[in-house]
Amino acid sequence: MFERSRPAGDRPSWAAARLTWKEPVSHPMSADPTSRRDIPDATVARLPEYLRALSDAADRGVLSVSSEELATAAGVRPTQLRKDLSHLGSYGIRGVGYDVEHLALEISRALGLTQDWPVAIVGMGNLGRALAAYSGFATGGFHVAALFDEDAALVGTRIGDVLVEPMADLPRLVADRGVSIGVIATPAGSAQQVCDTLVRAGVRSVLNFAPLVLSVPGDVDVRRVDLSTELHVLAFHEQRKQLAAGQGQDVGHGVGVGR
Amino acid sequence: MFERSRPAGDRPSWAAARLTWKEPVSHPMSADPTSRRDIPDATVARLPEYLRALSDAADRGVLSVSSEELATAAGVRPTQLRKDLSHLGSYGIRGVGYDVEHLALEISRALGLTQDWPVAIVGMGNLGRALAAYSGFATGGFHVAALFDEDAALVGTRIGDVLVEPMADLPRLVADRGVSIGVIATPAGSAQQVCDTLVRAGVRSVLNFAPLVLSVPGDVDVRRVDLSTELHVLAFHEQRKQLAAGQGQDVGHGVGVGR
DNA sequence: ACATGTGAAGGCCTTCACAGCA
DNA sequence: TGCTGTGAAGGCCTTCACATGT
């Protein structure tokens, strides 16, 4: 089982805090972020889940985990986990497992979470307000640097500790506050224009909640989150299950935890 | 370009409404949902985007689209689109393109959106309220059938047109209203318990917004949406770009629209 | 002529089997 | 002995080239 020892609750803050892990002397090569390139996209997509599972383990005072324990907590197979981690380096101890704090640091470093990322959110509707108040921003390398809305009635109000600013001030504030990640929580109709404004202001990473595909220059990354898409995929599988049940015939889908 | 003719605005409602498309007599085989099985997961994940793009086209009065036009709107390659659609059937016309309304109907049918899915949302925090008010539920085969929260102060209040119910009534209401899809918008701490309650009530499709991997029986589908994960992935690519820029060296990442 | 539909090729990712090391 | 790290195998998905049909 998990090896626990440190009292639960004193969670090490990997992001932002400079870590105290000492590299064993027998491993003279220290990993800087530039030495390990070519991490597959599929692996990058799973690293945040590993980090979250490690954070949970640390909260419970766990010091060391095996690939099997960590994989279970992350909803993947142990071999998948080990292959993924092998792309970062050799941070495990053979015959033992992984040091929770050390592995969390290395994943944080790989993901770029050892620095703090200022995020701007545009669109203060229901979703935008929920995002602005989201506690997940505080933990792990992100903070809400600015909020924007085109509605004059909303400008000047506060959401949490942050003032809602007019769109006209976006270029200046994005530059002044070093915003590098923009979140679009506007209706679909204004999303492309908002995106263009963000890109012109220097933002090259965009998280898009509006239901459309944004056009951006090749050096800009866009990730989209869409509730409708998720529901549609669930409906597809649900339909399969209901058909199979109705016909008393097993389609053999069998999706378990994860995936 | 797009062939347009029908006046914009009169959008055909594929979901819920029974459609009026007449199958050409030369195609005697009508496609029922059970005839075309084995649609790859990767394809299923893209079908909602095709449907959205078709919906936009229909809104603009477009009657027919080529695979190239539709692919551009959906952020994929034309060959990808045609291969995906080939898994549903042959709904295009060679030398011409696809009938917008007909293709939308076929995709809706494949996804199971020709029937209405009652959705229950648990957790009426900022996110839960935003989801309950989300207009995307209305369009396309879903409706909010019930809202739940454990906080007695929230129970009895209305969000939109729907009353917030106590958790104790969940099993009864889920059964009475035929809920088959559950949305979890609670904190991580109560998510597993809520999930167990939903599954015990008969829900076999779950959309999880809480930051943890849920344990469910093998016949239950879970999809997770996590803001932190999306931000982490963006931070990874952003770090790459900043390193590349700092060293005046092109890493050649080049992520464009989509992907 | 032109755009769809599809077998085949290629590439990426997952899984396996076992080598490597504490 | 036990668990990590990894080359090799296998499977899924994307892309290509072209056959097919209007």
Side-chain angles (χ1 to χ4, degrees), chain A residues 33-34 36-39 41 44-45 47-49 51-52 56 72-75 108-115 117 119 126-127 129-131 133-134 136-137 139-140 142 180-183 202-207 209 211-243 245 247 249 251 253-259, chain B residues 33-34 36-39 41 44-45 47-49 51-52 56 72-75 108-115 117 119 126-127 129-131 133-134 136-137 139-140 142 180-183 202-207 209 211-243 245 247 249 251 253-259:
Chain A
T34 64
R36 289 277 176 178
R37 294 288 172 77
D38 65 287
I39 302 178
D41 284 349
V44 172
L47 290 180
E49 192 59 33
L51 193 55
R52 189 203 52 77
D56 285 354
T72 299
S108 291
R109 178 149 39 180
L111 287 173
L113 304 181
T114 49
Q115 55 182 297
W117 299 100
V119 175
N126 285 312
L127 177 62
R129 284 196 295 271
L131 294 175
Y134 177 57
F137 272 111
T139 65
F142 304 93
S180 46
I181 297 177
V183 176
V203 170
R204 283 183 301 176
S205 297
V206 173
L207 183 53
F209 287 86
L212 84 165
V213 174
L214 295 170
S215 297
V216 292
D219 64 338
V220 175
D221 276 316
V222 178
R223 291 185 70 85
R224 184 145 82 88
V225 176
D226 185 10
L227 177 63
S228 290
T229 299
E230 304 301 327
L231 287 177
H232 287 179
V233 174
L234 282 177
F236 172 81
H237 292 301
E238 184 68 24
Q239 175 178 238
R240 286 290 174 91
K241 282 184 279 196
Q242 293 195 359
L243 283 172
Q247 299 171 357
Q249 181 182 327
V251 166
H253 188 251
V255 171
V257 177
R259 176 148 289 238
Chain B
T34 65
R36 288 278 175 179
R37 293 289 172 77
D38 65 286
I39 302 178
D41 284 348
V44 172
L47 290 180
E49 191 59 33
L51 193 56
R52 190 203 51 76
D56 285 354
T72 299
S108 291
R109 177 148 41 181
L111 287 174
L113 303 181
T114 48
Q115 56 184 296
W117 299 100
V119 175
N126 286 312
L127 177 61
R129 284 195 295 271
L131 295 175
Y134 177 56
F137 272 110
T139 64
F142 304 92
S180 47
I181 297 178
V183 177
V203 171
R204 283 183 302 177
S205 296
V206 173
L207 184 52
F209 286 88
L212 85 166
V213 174
L214 295 170
S215 298
V216 293
D219 65 337
V220 175
D221 276 317
V222 178
R223 293 185 68 86
R224 185 144 83 87
V225 176
D226 185 9
L227 176 65
S228 290
T229 299
E230 304 302 326
L231 287 176
H232 288 178
V233 174
L234 282 176
F236 172 81
H237 292 301
E238 184 68 24
Q239 175 178 239
R240 287 289 174 91
K241 283 185 277 196
Q242 293 195 0
L243 282 172
Q247 299 170 358
Q249 179 183 328
V251 163
H253 188 250
V255 171
V257 177
R259 174 151 293 234

Side-chain angles (χ1 to χ4, degrees), chain A residues 1 3 64-67 69 82 91-99:
Chain A
M1 255 314 257
E3 173 196 326
S64 173
V65 293
S66 67
S67 64
E69 291 162 345
R82 294 203 299 275
Y91 299 127
I93 302 166
R94 294 175 195 235
V96 178
Y98 301 88
D99 178 277

Side-chain angles (χ1 to χ4, degrees), chain B residues 150-209:
Chain B
E150 61 170 12
D151 184 353
L154 284 172
V155 171
T157 63
R158 280 186 184 280
I159 296 174
D161 293 337
V162 187
L163 209 60
V164 178
E165 314 275 357
M167 288 298 293
D169 292 350
L170 192 148
R172 179 175 57 82
L173 290 172
V174 161
D176 286 357
R177 300 180 186 176
V179 170
S180 47
I181 297 178
V183 177
I184 297 179
T186 68
S190 33
Q192 182 64 60
Q193 186 188 333
V194 165
C195 179
D196 294 344
T197 304
L198 284 168
V199 170
R200 229 177 292 119
V203 171
R204 283 183 302 177
S205 296
V206 173
L207 184 52
N208 176 30
F209 286 88

Side-chain angles (χ1 to χ4, degrees), chain A residues 9-249:
Chain A
D10 75 24
R11 170 180 183 169
S13 55
W14 303 298
R18 294 301 161 260
L19 268 286
T20 56
W21 170 266
K22 296 289 186 303
E23 195 77 22
V25 190
S26 54
H27 278 194
M29 170 94 95
S30 139
D32 76 317
T34 64
S35 64
R36 289 277 176 178
R37 294 288 172 77
D38 65 287
I39 302 178
D41 284 349
T43 294
V44 172
R46 283 186 294 266
L47 290 180
E49 192 59 33
Y50 302 156
L51 193 55
R52 189 203 52 77
L54 286 167
S55 173
D56 285 354
D59 281 351
R60 287 156 39 218
V62 172
L63 294 182
S64 173
V65 293
S66 67
S67 64
E68 181 154 354
E69 291 162 345
L70 190 54
T72 299
V76 301
R77 303 278 169 78
T79 53
Q80 173 103 274
L81 174 77
R82 294 203 299 275
K83 176 65 92 180
D84 283 341
L85 295 183
S86 77
H87 291 114
L88 307 187
S90 291
Y91 299 127
I93 302 166
R94 294 175 195 235
V96 178
Y98 301 88
D99 178 277
V100 169
E101 190 168 347
H102 179 215
L103 183 56
L105 167 63
E106 293 300 343
I107 294 177
S108 291
R109 178 149 39 180
L111 287 173
L113 304 181
T114 49
Q115 55 182 297
D116 193 61
W117 299 100
V119 175
I121 305 176
V122 185
M124 290 296 111
N126 285 312
L127 177 62
R129 284 196 295 271
L131 294 175
Y134 177 57
S135 59
F137 272 111
T139 65
F142 304 93
H143 77 270
V144 178
L147 303 174
F148 299 96
D149 201 289
E150 63 172 9
D151 183 353
L154 284 172
V155 171
T157 64
R158 278 186 184 281
I159 295 174
D161 293 338
V162 187
L163 210 60
V164 177
E165 315 274 356
M167 288 299 293
D169 291 350
L170 193 149
R172 181 176 56 82
L173 289 171
V174 161
D176 286 357
R177 301 180 185 177
V179 170
S180 46
I181 297 177
V183 176
I184 298 179
T186 68
S190 32
Q192 182 62 60
Q193 185 187 334
V194 164
C195 179
D196 294 343
T197 305
L198 283 168
V199 169
R200 229 177 290 116
V203 170
R204 283 183 301 176
S205 297
V206 173
L207 183 53
N208 176 29
F209 287 86
L212 84 165
V213 174
L214 295 170
S215 297
V216 292
D219 64 338
V220 175
D221 276 316
V222 178
R223 291 185 70 85
R224 184 145 82 88
V225 176
D226 185 10
L227 177 63
S228 290
T229 299
E230 304 301 327
L231 287 177
H232 287 179
V233 174
L234 282 177
F236 172 81
H237 292 301
E238 184 68 24
Q239 175 178 238
R240 286 290 174 91
K241 282 184 279 196
Q242 293 195 359
L243 283 172
Q247 299 171 357
Q249 181 182 327

Side-chain angles (χ1 to χ4, degrees), chain B residues 41-76:
Chain B
D41 284 348
T43 295
V44 172
R46 284 185 293 266
L47 290 180
E49 191 59 33
Y50 302 156
L51 193 56
R52 190 203 51 76
L54 286 167
S55 172
D56 285 354
D59 281 349
R60 288 157 38 221
V62 173
L63 293 183
S64 173
V65 291
S66 67
S67 63
E68 181 153 355
E69 292 163 345
L70 190 54
T72 299
V76 301

